[in-house]
Amino acid sequence: MSQDGEGIDLRTSVGYLLKEAASALRAAMDDVLGPLGMTVTRYSCLELLAQRPGLSNSELARGAFVTRQSMNVLLQTLEREGLVTRPSEAPAGRALPTRLTARGRRRLEEASAAVRSVEVDMLSGMTDAERQGVLDGLRHIVHGLHDRGAT
């Protein structure tokens, strides 16, 4: 508690611990992705495209937690590097569906292996039941926060 009795005890605050964990995860991912010439956002974009080919700029931005403008700049860079392709004109509407190239898939394989190693380290020492509990708890937190915004 703070000195005046108001506030949050950071040692038991779920929100604070989530932020601390997110910060530690981001730093660990930066450490393993940096030598590969990758950033967390770049990796996230490629991973999203591998799992859901054809996503639009807006969909990718939401999935990678960045602005549409930032994603557009990243996609232009990835396109110049030959990691993704986008049609010159939208097949329908205004969205340009993006797809990984073979080169993009190879770069993603390297990055995915590095990120998996971080996840293995992060969960080491936990039992299967504890890992499942963490996943279930995080899903409940996400749903609770989304539901809160819907009311």
Side-chain angles (χ1 to χ4, degrees), residues 48-65:
L48 284 163
L49 287 171
Q51 294 185 28
R52 293 182 258 162
L55 289 177
S56 69
N57 177 49
S58 293
E59 292 165 326
L60 285 166
R62 278 190 297 277
F65 308 106

Side-chain angles (χ1 to χ4, degrees), residues 3-131:
Q3 290 181 355
D4 61 5
E6 301 291 322
I8 295 173
D9 182 350
L10 297 180
R11 295 169 299 163
T12 60
S13 168
V14 173
Y16 185 81
L17 288 170
L18 278 172
K19 182 63 178 168
E20 187 175 11
S23 180
L25 175 60
R26 178 72 183 235
M29 288 177 68
D30 284 341
D31 287 347
V32 298
L33 290 171
L36 301 175
M38 284 268 183
T39 64
V40 173
T41 303
R42 178 181 282 242
Y43 162 74
S44 297
C45 178
L46 296 178
E47 190 67 65
L48 284 163
L49 287 171
Q51 294 185 28
R52 293 182 258 162
L55 289 177
S56 69
N57 177 49
S58 293
E59 292 165 326
L60 285 166
R62 278 190 297 277
F65 308 106
V66 297
T67 65
R68 287 189 317 254
Q69 294 84 354
S70 294
M71 183 55 67
N72 192 47
V73 170
L74 175 59
L75 288 174
Q76 289 172 7
T77 301
L78 294 174
E79 201 169 14
R80 276 194 308 274
E81 293 174 0
L83 303 179
V84 302
T85 61
R86 295 189 292 175
S88 56
E89 292 185 25
R94 294 179 14 207
L96 298 174
T98 307
R99 298 196 182 282
L100 284 179
T101 63
R103 183 175 184 194
R105 286 185 200 293
R106 287 191 300 275
R107 292 293 310 278
L108 176 60
E109 285 175 19
E110 287 180 292
S112 292
V115 169
R116 266 192 303 281
S117 75
V118 169
E119 287 221 358
V120 166
D121 290 346
M122 178 175 64
L123 299 172
S124 67
M126 293 179 121
T127 66
D128 288 343
E130 288 170 328
R131 283 191 287 275

